[in-house]
Amino acid sequence: MTIAIATSVLTGVILAPEACAVEQGAGLIADRPGKAMRLWYDAPAPDSDLGWANASIPMGNGYMGINVFGGTESERIQITENSLYDWADKNSGFKRRGVNNFAEVYMDFGHTKPGNYARELNLNEGVSRVRYELGGVTYSREYFTSYPDKVMVIRLSASKKGALSFTLRPTIPFLGDGKSGTVSAKGDTVTLSGVMTYFNIQFEGQFKVIPKGGKMKAGNDTITVSDADSAVVLIAVGTNYQFDPQVFLTPKPTEKLKGFPHPHAKVSGTIADASAKSYEQLKANHQADYTELYDRVSLDLGAKEPAMTTDKLVDAYPDGASSRYLEELAFQYGRYMLICSSRKGTLPPHLQGIWNVYARPPWSSQYLHDTNVQMAYAPAFCANLPELFESYADFFNIFVHQQRQYATQYIEQYNPSQLDPNGDNGWSGPFWTNPYNVTGKSPVAGFGTGSWIAQMFWDYYDYTRDESLLAETVYPVMYEQANFVSRFVKEVDGVLLADPSSSPEQKLRNTVGTTFDQQMFYENHHNTLTAAKILGRSDKRLDIYEKQLPLLDPIQIGKSGQIKEFRQEEYYCDADKVLDPHHRHTSMLLGEYPGQLINDTTPAWLDAVKKTLTLRTRKSNIGWARAERVAFWARVHDGDEAYLFFQDLLGGNFLHNLFNDHRGGPLFQADANYGATAGVAELLMQSQDHVVSPLPALPCAWSDGSYRGLLARGNFEVSAQWSNGQASRVEVVSNAGGTLALRYPNVAKAVIKTSEGQTVDFVAKGTDQVSIETTKGQIVVVTDIPACTPVVAPSNLKVVKDVKSQFELAWTGSKDAATYNLYRAVGNAPDYERIASNIKGTGFVYKAADLKQIDQMTLKVTTVRADGRESREGATAVRLLH
């Protein structure tokens, strides 16, 4: 075997040889080093808004978002701070006031026509670098944003002593339009301060220069360093925003932050603390924090780092050039972005994450709760970054006070007989919020947004199994949301429905019982009851939730075999002429993903999901919608179809810096970056039914590879290695102990041991699932898994002759068939019942006494191979009573 050795252009460090995962034999997968992942370029980003979106390198630590351009004549560093927010009483339109550009920072070098230029973002380190040569001198810059020290750190150096000269020039953009401020320099520090007038936000940034050698001089608003050997620049920013319910409960904008201290002392303290440490200490602190998160997960699809720059790699992807490396990069990039943008004690990521260059950003850079916030946090759980959710949890806990007031208002308005006059009405779900305001009801999305928020809290527990977290943080959120829902729903024809109800961003609004609302309500009622049993709770409304649960009617199957989006829908998307059959939102399927309602124990519903996705088509070009479809298709175990959407996303939406272009322009929106990571994780591992399933939807294109560290429900950390599409090794670390249910073809025939080589006792459920009682910290290793060739399913099932008491079926046969099985699901049933087996031909006449009474049923035919294995998939058809 020949292994190429690559030398980093920027660091001169010899990178470790990278063999494909399947070639690495010894030891645990979980102990292997992560694969080197980096973005690199041979030119600076253009100094423009387009250059910002398409080519600048994003960084962040929760406290600030950074975009580095890498210029040589003048470096540009753009800074975002998510609480620096503008608004207007009439704030409408696509681009409108919202998150504001905090600062534009320039470092003027006057270096023109450099040679051997390179810049990179190293994902393994969370460090960006620039390097070039001019006049016989090599100039280097290194950048990182430290969460533990709350600063951005820049180290500038030259290969020749006394060769480093530059002027640091911070500026405040967009002055005069609701924003005032000044920049002043004194000694070694430039201070930038001002006020955003609408919410009376006081802001400050400090930029401290620490040169080695040479001279330093402060001007009015700049600092110039001359003839130095090297220099370090420290940046800290802040506002007078605080996590306090006062912000949302105070109606007058200019008084929301009343009494909160000016940020000067905070920012000064941050700079003082950071400057007391050496550059090496600051970098070590950053990397200890960053790598502890990033290194938990790795993915190797067998790609080598390509010789071409990342911009060329992105451009070449639609033609299939070096695609595996970009796919690996996209997966880890979403994790990197979440680490940058969601840290405890800071505001959570909005539509643009933590990055914005505009005075009027798209949709104000708000938090939208009808998919975008939830997509941002999808990889937090499955991609093993659960504590990053704490940023949102803390934010929720300050705006929920306003939502409780809204809940009382809406129960009084829509279902007054259920109102608690003392205000114990739970909290209602918002559509959008920002750091200062949260809206009431919006017809754009139904009240299911609240239950979807609560589902994120449930996931935080379910992936960590921390019972103190469940008791103190998660359960109160879910219980109160269920309280609101239990009072809001109304009895209609024997079931409990949302009224009014809307499916996110569809044009048919304020109807009754949309699937979005009903599924989300059902999920939260179910999770609340489950949590109450775990905690031994007996709260007064639990009995009500228990009685309501089966009446929430979350799934309706339509005449096309689809899951209905609206109750009045019969055939797919026929509820109203205004509906878009190719809509970006697919909200009727949220019980399948990211929910748990639809899973392998509800195969009839899974087939209805597949039918719905097929009818939705691939026509939407929206980045986040493509990312979401990857996960939707993964959950129905169709990895190849999911992979098409992943290719559409990378080839059609990813910009040169891997930012997601929402729909062209370019229009950056971060949700698809996070969603792409979650979608890939779903292809590689699932656990929605609390059964750990490695490689449940592996695309044929990824025939060989390995991953380590994905997180399953139950706090099981999963690693896997595969070759020719077959798992050769699976490892599961039981972080919390408990029962491990593990599903993979022929796993019951495999060798199952501990990491020390001891045999593990298990209970088999057929040949494809085992149950193992684990202790906390135990590692289960599965090897020697007998290969399993999937059984080819039949196709084209049709009802060819139909009378009320019997009908004839015909289908296209499978080359694997020894016999066929036939199933039916009546009405909205989640599962099939087998109605015939051992069918020899490709047709069948079905007779049953109840056929005259069944208005609608879904029929399914599967293949049974000679070895007795049945096809997972099958051909389906809907039979309607005429």
Side-chain angles (χ1 to χ4, degrees):
M1 178 179 71
T2 301
I3 301 175
I5 297 179
T7 303
S8 169
V9 175
L10 294 173
T11 62
V13 175
I14 303 296
L15 300 177
E18 292 180 14
C20 175
V22 295
E23 296 173 340
Q24 301 173 353
L28 293 173
I29 303 169
D31 292 337
R32 295 175 187 165
K35 187 169 185 175
M37 291 275 105
R38 71 182 187 122
L39 293 71
W40 74 282
Y41 307 89
D42 58 10
D47 186 8
S48 63
D49 284 353
L50 177 60
W52 179 90
N54 188 52
S56 68
I57 287 178
M59 308 187 77
N61 60 2
Y63 295 100
M64 66 183 96
I66 300 291
N67 289 79
V68 178
F69 287 69
T72 61
E73 188 167 1
S74 183
E75 168 65 291
R76 177 184 172 191
I77 298 170
Q78 187 271 323
I79 302 176
T80 306
E81 203 282 347
N82 276 350
S83 69
L84 188 69
Y85 210 86
D86 195 13
W87 199 249
D89 294 332
K90 294 184 179 179
N91 200 34
S92 59
F94 155 52
K95 292 189 176 182
R96 52 186 185 258
R97 296 172 190 265
V99 172
N100 200 266
N101 185 340
F102 188 94
E104 294 281 0
V105 184
Y106 299 92
M107 291 189 291
D108 300 325
F109 300 98
H111 292 170
T112 59
K113 298 182 180 179
N116 294 324
Y117 179 94
R119 63 187 174 105
E120 75 165 10
L121 171 62
N122 187 307
L123 296 183
N124 303 77
E125 301 176 72
V127 173
S128 177
R129 297 181 178 91
V130 172
R131 180 172 173 165
Y132 57 90
E133 297 173 1
L134 184 70
V137 179
T138 300
Y139 295 93
S140 302
R141 303 199 291 267
E142 191 168 66
Y143 316 74
F144 58 87
T145 46
S146 169
Y147 173 68
D149 288 307
K150 304 179 184 178
V151 290
M152 181 186 190
V153 184
I154 308 166
R155 186 175 188 269
L156 307 95
S157 59
S159 62
K160 181 181 177 181
K161 286 190 174 183
L164 178 65
S165 298
F166 66 93
T167 296
L168 176 68
R169 184 166 51 90
T171 67
I172 305 175
F174 306 120
L175 285 171
D177 188 12
K179 186 180 186 183
S180 62
T182 60
V183 181
S184 61
K186 183 178 180 181
D188 60 4
T189 302
V190 181
T191 299
L192 170 159
S193 62
V195 176
M196 206 86 201
T197 56
Y198 189 86
F199 292 115
N200 198 24
I201 306 166
Q202 299 169 324
F203 63 91
E204 180 164 310
Q206 292 186 23
F207 308 80
K208 186 180 181 72
V209 182
I210 308 171
K212 181 179 180 182
K215 299 177 181 179
M216 179 168 62
K217 181 180 179 181
N220 290 332
D221 54 6
T222 63
I223 288 178
T224 298
V225 173
S226 304
D227 307 323
D229 302 336
S230 64
V232 171
V233 179
L234 303 178
I235 301 175
V237 302
T239 74
N240 59 331
Y241 185 88
Q242 291 191 7
F243 277 64
D244 191 309
Q246 168 188 317
V247 176
F248 289 94
L249 294 174
T250 302
K252 189 174 181 179
T254 55
E255 294 185 358
K256 286 178 175 289
L257 305 183
K258 186 176 182 179
F260 298 165
H262 190 281
H264 175 73
K266 176 176 65 176
V267 174
S268 297
T270 299
I271 284 287
D273 290 345
S275 61
K277 300 170 185 175
S278 69
Y279 176 79
E280 289 72 23
Q281 287 175 310
L282 291 169
K283 187 176 178 181
N285 289 350
H286 161 65
Q287 294 202 309
D289 167 73
Y290 174 83
T291 58
E292 199 282 323
L293 294 166
Y294 179 86
D295 284 350
R296 294 174 187 174
V297 174
S298 69
L299 171 63
D300 186 355
L301 300 176
K304 300 296 187 291
E305 183 174 353
M308 67 177 70
T309 56
T310 304
D311 52 320
K312 294 182 176 67
L313 186 69
V314 171
D315 290 342
Y317 181 81
D319 299 323
S322 303
S323 59
R324 295 296 89 81
Y325 188 79
L326 183 61
E327 290 162 1
E328 295 169 346
L329 202 58
F331 170 75
Q332 290 287 26
Y333 191 72
R335 298 182 70 246
Y336 165 80
M337 287 178 64
L338 194 61
I339 295 170
C340 288
S341 62
S342 185
R343 304 304 299 267
K344 185 172 179 59
T346 72
L347 285 164
H350 49 69
L351 284 172
Q352 283 72 39
I354 196 173
W355 301 278
N356 170 62
V357 72
Y358 309 107
R360 287 169 171 76
W363 298 287
S364 298
S365 291
Q366 296 181 125
Y367 304 103
L368 301 187
H369 289 93
D370 63 343
T371 198
N372 312 88
V373 168
Q374 291 87 345
M375 185 169 288
Y377 283 105
F381 307 115
C382 59
N384 207 348
L385 300 166
E387 62 267 61
L388 298 189
F389 181 66
E390 292 176 8
S391 170
Y392 181 85
D394 291 345
F395 179 58
F396 170 86
N397 284 327
I398 64 169
F399 77 71
V400 71
H401 297 270
Q402 176 65 64
Q403 294 306 119
R404 292 186 182 115
Q405 294 183 5
Y406 284 138
T408 295
Q409 174 186 330
Y410 297 135
I411 299 302
E412 187 173 18
Q413 180 179 357
Y414 295 119
N415 208 6
S417 66
Q418 297 301 311
L419 180 71
D420 184 300
N422 297 315
D424 182 18
N425 296 296
W427 60 272
S428 68
F431 168 51
W432 66 260
T433 184
N434 62 45
Y436 298 87
N437 287 315
V438 61
T439 58
K441 176 188 179 298
S442 169
V444 176
F447 284 111
T449 56
S451 292
W452 199 358
I453 290 170
Q455 186 180 72
M456 292 193 293
F457 280 83
W458 166 252
D459 287 347
Y460 189 20
Y461 162 73
D462 207 19
Y463 280 87
T464 61
R465 292 301 170 94
D466 182 338
E467 286 197 18
S468 62
L469 177 73
L470 180 64
E472 297 165 13
T473 301
V474 174
Y475 179 75
V477 172
M478 297 193 303
Y479 182 88
E480 277 198 71
Q481 169 60 196
N483 183 9
F484 169 74
V485 169
S486 68
R487 298 174 188 277
F488 172 69
V489 292
K490 301 175 186 176
E491 184 174 347
V492 179
D493 297 330
V495 294
L496 296 172
L497 302 181
D499 180 12
S501 181
S502 297
S503 192
E505 301 187 33
Q506 280 281 23
K507 292 182 179 179
L508 177 59
R509 296 172 179 175
N510 290 330
T511 180
V512 177
T514 63
T515 300
F516 166 71
D517 283 340
Q518 299 302 133
Q519 283 187 10
M520 293 298 95
F521 291 172
Y522 186 98
E523 292 263 17
N524 186 63
H525 263 49
H526 177 271
N527 294 339
T528 303
L529 291 165
T530 302
K533 290 175 183 175
I534 293 168
L535 297 172
R537 300 292 292 254
S538 57
D539 301 276
K540 62 182 180 180
R541 295 190 68 82
L542 289 172
D543 287 344
I544 295 172
Y545 306 162
E546 189 89 51
K547 293 173 184 176
Q548 287 183 334
L549 183 65
L551 302 177
L552 290 173
D553 202 27
I555 301 290
Q556 293 274 304
I557 305 298
K559 293 181 179 180
S560 301
Q562 87 283 16
I563 291 182
K564 294 181 181 182
E565 187 167 7
F566 299 91
R567 297 186 77 83
Q568 56 268 50
E569 180 180 334
E570 293 189 11
Y571 293 92
Y572 174 72
C573 217
D574 71 352
D576 197 289
K577 292 180 180 179
V578 300
L579 297 180
D580 177 4
H582 314 299
H583 202 277
R584 59 195 177 277
H585 283 267
T586 315
S587 304
M588 62 287 215
L589 302 186
L590 296 176
E592 185 241 15
Y593 176 84
Q596 298 176 261
L597 172 64
I598 304 172
N599 55 58
D600 282 347
T601 68
T602 62
W605 286 353
L606 272 183
D607 286 339
V609 168
K610 194 167 187 178
K611 181 67 175 179
T612 310
L613 289 170
T614 301
L615 293 168
R616 213 61 158 189
T617 74
R618 285 170 62 198
K619 289 186 178 181
S620 176
N621 69 340
I622 301 299
W624 68 257
R626 285 171 164 167
E628 189 178 49
R629 305 287 169 86
V630 174
F632 281 144
W633 279 104
R635 287 275 177 103
V636 296
H637 309 297
D638 195 332
D640 289 334
E641 190 68 23
Y643 182 63
L644 290 177
F645 283 90
F646 188 52
Q647 288 181 302
D648 289 345
L649 178 63
L650 269 59
N653 300 86
F654 269 39
L655 298 166
H656 287 163
N657 60 0
L658 303 195
F659 268 175
N660 161 61
D661 183 1
H662 176 63
R663 64 182 187 195
L667 172 60
F668 165 57
Q669 199 160 296
D671 39 25
N673 291 110
Y674 307 124
T677 298
V680 170
E682 292 291 333
L683 293 170
L684 300 174
M685 194 274 295
Q686 296 174 20
S687 60
Q688 58 271 18
D689 56 352
H690 295 110
V691 179
V692 176
S693 301
L695 307 179
L698 187 68
C700 290
W702 295 349
S703 58
D704 304 290
S706 69
Y707 66 81
R708 64 165 169 80
L710 292 179
L711 196 61
R713 293 177 186 274
N715 201 354
F716 295 105
E717 206 166 286
V718 184
S719 304
Q721 178 175 296
W722 68 95
S723 179
N724 296 319
Q726 296 281 340
S728 56
R729 185 182 182 97
V730 174
E731 299 168 6
V732 182
V733 181
S734 178
N735 290 326
T739 303
L740 166 65
L742 182 66
R743 180 169 55 229
Y744 189 80
N746 285 334
V747 69
K749 299 179 181 179
V751 175
I752 305 178
K753 295 184 177 182
T754 67
S755 55
E756 292 81 22
Q758 299 170 325
T759 300
V760 171
D761 293 329
F762 63 85
V763 176
K765 184 179 180 180
T767 60
D768 298 344
Q769 186 169 320
V770 297
S771 180
I772 301 166
E773 295 303 319
T774 70
T775 57
K776 185 176 181 178
Q778 182 179 355
I779 302 175
V780 175
V781 181
V782 183
T783 59
D784 300 314
I785 308 167
C788 177
T789 303
V791 180
V792 176
S795 58
N796 301 319
L797 178 63
K798 295 181 180 178
V799 179
V800 292
K801 293 181 181 178
D802 189 353
V803 294
K804 289 187 177 182
S805 58
Q806 67 178 50
F807 53 85
E808 183 178 344
L809 298 167
W811 58 89
T812 301
S814 162
K815 65 181 181 63
D816 289 346
T819 62
Y820 297 95
N821 287 340
L822 183 64
Y823 300 84
R824 77 175 193 181
V826 175
N828 303 319
D831 199 358
Y832 291 102
E833 55 180 307
R834 190 165 66 183
I835 54 178
S837 59
N838 202 34
I839 302 170
K840 298 292 186 181
T842 56
F844 186 78
V845 176
Y846 178 45
K847 302 177 182 179
D850 61 356
L851 290 182
K852 294 180 181 179
Q853 287 78 47
I854 299 174
D855 293 330
Q856 178 178 325
M857 71 171 71
T858 301
L859 297 145
K860 181 175 185 177
V861 60
T862 61
T863 302
V864 181
R865 200 164 53 196
D867 62 2
R869 182 170 286 275
E870 188 174 11
S871 61
R872 168 179 260 177
E873 305 301 324
T876 62
V878 175
R879 189 259 183 176
L880 304 173
L881 181 63
H882 297 291

